[in-house]
Amino acid sequence: MITEKILKKHDIHPLLQERWSPRMFSDQTVMESEIQLLLEAGRWAPSSNNLQPWRIIWGAKGSKTYDRIFECLDSFNQKWAGNAPVLMLGAFKKTNAKDKENFHALHDLGAFSAHLTFQAQSMGLAVHQMAGVKHEKAHAEFKFTEDYHVATALAIGYYGGDRSDLPEDLEKIETPTSERTPRKDFAFNGDFKETKNTSEENK
Ligand SMILES: Cc1cc2nc3c(=O)[nH]c(=O)nc-3n(C[C@H](O)[C@H](O)[C@H](O)COP(=O)(O)O)c2cc1C
């Protein structure tokens, strides 16, 4: 039996091992062709009934759209996200073709973001996902209609840059986290068990 102890982070794919969410980025430009490739990767994410409920607003640094996205981030994320050469907002369509609630739309936006993130990682690009978005402001700012919810934002750029340019509190935590909940506490080969959300193992 393969136990909790044997399989560790170093056994998973290097793209997954090496990914983390920085708050400082290299100032290397991300070309529009690279941005389009990230969006193409997201496009091929699986979704419930292939509804593809994700909608993305993107902007490159120096553009009006970038500044408008930045203004929709919460104050914590505004402390660092301006370091990223590209910002995106992630929204989803709340209903399906029958005008019924699509309960899986947020899940599918997450799948889109995961696809985009691993394509990015393969290109040396880091993605930092954010929930800290002024959702209603973003909805109005980008003229979304009633049936959409702006859920997340993404900061994207090449890994690098000088972490000492971050505010002191963020500089201290600018490192890949090694904390994860052990598999035995979230994956059950049988009945669900209530567990504590611990992360001291499985580094
Ligand atoms: C949906 C989602 C929302 C997140 N929201 C924020 C956020 O608002 N601000 C932030 O600095 N990090 C945010 N994060 C980043 C997480 O804190 C980070 O992924 C987690 O600590 C694990 O670290 P790692 O990605 O470096 O492995 C978010 C991540 C996800 C997936």
Side-chain angles (χ1 to χ4, degrees):
M1 187 177 169
I2 300 173
T3 67
E4 184 82 19
K5 293 270 178 287
I6 296 169
L7 285 175
K8 290 287 181 187
K9 189 179 183 187
H10 62 242
D11 295 299
I12 64 174
H13 195 284
L15 281 181
L16 302 170
Q17 280 184 52
E18 288 154 17
R19 184 212 60 80
W20 65 290
S21 305
R23 294 189 176 89
M24 178 51 71
F25 299 85
S26 158
D27 57 13
Q28 185 179 338
T29 303
V30 181
M31 309 298 287
E32 178 163 353
S33 57
E34 295 172 304
I35 298 169
Q36 292 297 342
L37 192 53
L38 299 181
L39 295 168
E40 182 66 15
R43 179 175 171 239
W44 289 98
S47 62
S48 177
N49 285 110
N50 200 19
L51 286 176
Q52 305 162 60
W54 46 76
R55 299 292 183 273
I56 307 299
I57 306 288
W58 69 269
K61 202 170 199 158
S63 71
K64 184 118 196 291
T65 305
Y66 181 99
D67 294 343
R68 290 167 68 206
I69 297 171
F70 182 83
E71 288 305 321
C72 294
L73 303 179
D74 72 8
S75 57
F76 174 77
N77 288 324
Q78 285 189 352
K79 283 172 37 173
W80 60 269
N83 297 323
V86 178
L87 291 175
M88 295 186 182
L89 288 173
F92 63 82
K93 186 173 189 301
K94 294 188 280 188
T95 58
N96 63 23
K98 292 178 184 152
D99 273 346
K100 293 265 158 53
E101 184 167 358
N102 178 2
F103 291 105
H104 301 101
L106 177 59
H107 175 281
D108 294 345
L109 173 63
F112 176 97
S113 302
H115 263 227
L116 180 152
T117 297
F118 297 115
Q119 176 68 37
Q121 186 69 25
S122 76
M123 295 158 65
L125 286 162
V127 178
H128 197 134
Q129 300 183 47
M130 290 168 267
V133 176
K134 295 173 202 158
H135 308 275
E136 285 171 13
K137 179 180 167 73
H139 189 275
E141 173 68 30
F142 289 98
K143 303 178 175 57
F144 279 98
T145 49
E146 186 71 4
D147 200 19
Y148 291 83
H149 177 69
V150 182
T152 52
L154 298 89
I156 303 172
Y158 282 97
Y159 285 99
D162 186 350
R163 74 174 57 191
S164 68
D165 289 341
L166 285 165
E168 203 181 340
D169 55 333
L170 297 183
E171 185 192 346
K172 279 196 198 123
I173 55 170
E174 182 67 354
T175 176
T177 172
S178 57
E179 300 211 336
R180 286 298 192 264
T181 302
R183 262 174 286 127
K184 66 178 171 46
D185 287 352
F186 68 82
F188 312 109
N189 188 214
D191 288 342
F192 166 77
K193 291 182 206 73
E194 193 71 69
T195 55
K196 274 192 293 186
N197 208 3
T198 54
S199 55
E200 74 282 0
E201 296 175 48
N202 236 24
K203 294 189 170 176

